[in-house]
Amino acid sequence: MAQKPSVPKGTRDFSPGEMLRRNYIFEVIKKTFLKYGYLPIETPAMENLSTLLGKYGEEGDRLLFKILNSGDFLKKTRAEDFKDISKLSMKIAEKGLRYDLTVPFARFVVQNQHAINFPFKRYQIQPVWRADKPQKGRYREFYQCDVDVIGSDSLLNEVELILIIDDVFRELGVQSIVKINNRKILTGIAEVVGEPGKITEITVAIDKMEKIGFDEVIKELSIRGLSANAIEKLKPILTLEGKLKEIFPKLMEILDDSEIGKQGIQETMTVMRHLKDLNINAKFILDLTLARGLDYYTGAIIEVTAKDHEIGSICGGGRYDNLTGIFGLPDVSGVGISFGADRIYDVMLALDLFPEDLQSSTQVMFVNFGEKEAKYCLSLVQKLRQAGISTELFPDAVKMKKQMTYANKNNIPYVVLIGSSEMESNKLTVKLMHTGDQKEIGIDELIEAINGKTIS
RNA sequence: GUGCGAGUAGCUCAGUUGGUUAGAGCACUGGAUUGUGGUUCCAGGGGUCGUGGGUUCAAGUCCCAUUUCGCACCCCA
């Protein structure tokens, strides 16, 4: 047997049917981004590894796809390099596939700072790659749809991004839950419990609250090296419940000794207050257990899940105060979110939310009866196309059954038959595929009927 | 990186305590219907049973190794 072809692990082909639905999602997202005044950019699939490494935490570095240098990639290595994998990989790979769109964007901003008009609002819809083990809702190649504002500290940007989230999911028909938190609150909590150096440990543990529950989180905190004293102080924070009006004052009290913590609460309250006055469809909630793994977030953090389908987050983001600083442009704050198109697709498919009429593009197919007939059809086909009706002529004069089957499978609603008698009468026979009826009419009549929708 | 499960026709899968020529549905091709699809009926093609080794008179079935894929953990869109 010939070698069975396949695609690399975690990557997928998309059939025409899938592409029509995917494009529908991309179009809704893109249209919304444009409506809010964001401009498109694109960056290369690959970046220098120096651009990518160290931006996503230890786990992120591990999940980067590295590209082997072309030619003799061992040229620069020495025997002792082979003892240390990370040293070796630096010598044999200088490029990597992008892991997200935010870091390449930061690089783009730094490189093009003189040409950019700040605050810069950009959107970017491109695939990213992660060397993760694939599983449900997780792919090694997937699309992110990013919107970011860079060069503005205003919390109005946070509000705007949440409005975009609401807009997109409202139009797609996905019931969404927007969770909001702030890294400064988490930093404040770490300070108040007396473990300012253990922010990562604390956030990673409490991030699992929903999944593993209160008791397990406490256990995990202890495993991660938090003192019993600190854990006791943390407990009342983790169990905070009730309405926002009640939570905020309580939090203020708890974080009274932490300037940064109080600032985080202020920011979150401001955003929430704005949102409250707007007509928002999505449920938005303050979730103190929301942490998000990416290292570069410094302020607001946002994560969106689908209410009716468990698949992880379908959109996420936050504010980063100094991402461009790493590339030599300090004090430029940005905030952005990223829609996960592939997961949104999975949610919409599972909940059957795609519109029905995304099917075929061809409206009319001409049957091919032979060389003479096909030649006669060509000008008529062009006439239909010029009238804006997407039309095709079957390329081969094969059996009619075959041609009809083709039209049927592609959901082509009208089939035109022109044989010798039609050529003589200067008319055409059109078959309406959903009813099976057929009638003999002229070409102009057909165009008028289709464009006027008086035929069905 | 850790754990669990599965690889049989193009696809989805069945295959009994090991026992003739490995089956079904869908898809494909031809016919009923030479200018008529979607429904129906008839016929046909298509398999080194993931790969390598072992046990046995006999292996799709049991054992070992290997590989690929899926699921969960970690982390994430």
Side-chain angles (χ1 to χ4, degrees), chain A residues 296-312:
Chain A
Y296 49 70
Y297 290 126
T298 50
I301 38 185
I302 299 164
E303 187 162 288
V304 185
T305 51
K307 193 173 145 228
D308 305 313
H309 188 68
E310 185 69 42
I311 199 164

Side-chain angles (χ1 to χ4, degrees), chain A residues 211-254:
Chain A
K211 213 172 197 170
I212 62 179
F214 181 80
D215 293 339
E216 290 295 313
V217 168
I218 298 298
K219 243 186 242 172
E220 177 133 1
L221 284 166
S222 146
I223 292 168
R224 288 180 183 266
L226 243 74
S227 69
N229 189 20
I231 291 176
E232 277 311 310
K233 282 187 182 163
L234 205 53
K235 276 185 182 170
I237 301 172
L238 297 182
T239 51
L240 268 183
E241 268 183 14
K243 297 199 167 161
L244 288 180
K245 264 191 219 159
E246 297 154 21
I247 291 180
F248 278 127
K250 278 188 207 163
L251 250 189
M252 263 309 191
E253 210 173 297
I254 295 170

Side-chain angles (χ1 to χ4, degrees), chain A residues 135-138 169 174-177 179 210-211 290 292 303-316 338 340 342-344 346-347:
Chain A
Q135 47 190 284
K136 195 190 267 302
R138 178 172 308 187
F169 288 122
V174 175
Q175 295 282 326
S176 57
I177 299 168
K179 296 178 194 162
E210 200 173 323
K211 213 172 197 170
L290 174 63
R292 294 187 59 80
E303 187 162 288
V304 185
T305 51
K307 193 173 145 228
D308 305 313
H309 188 68
E310 185 69 42
I311 199 164
S313 57
I314 52 177
C315 179
S338 180
D342 304 78
R343 283 189 181 173
I344 293 171
D346 290 346
V347 169

Side-chain angles (χ1 to χ4, degrees), chain A residues 43-49 52 67 95-98 107 129:
Chain A
T43 60
M46 60 184 106
E47 292 276 349
N48 293 325
L49 273 178
L52 301 174
I67 299 170
K95 300 173 291 297
L97 293 175
R98 73 165 102 77
R107 177 199 49 75
W129 294 268

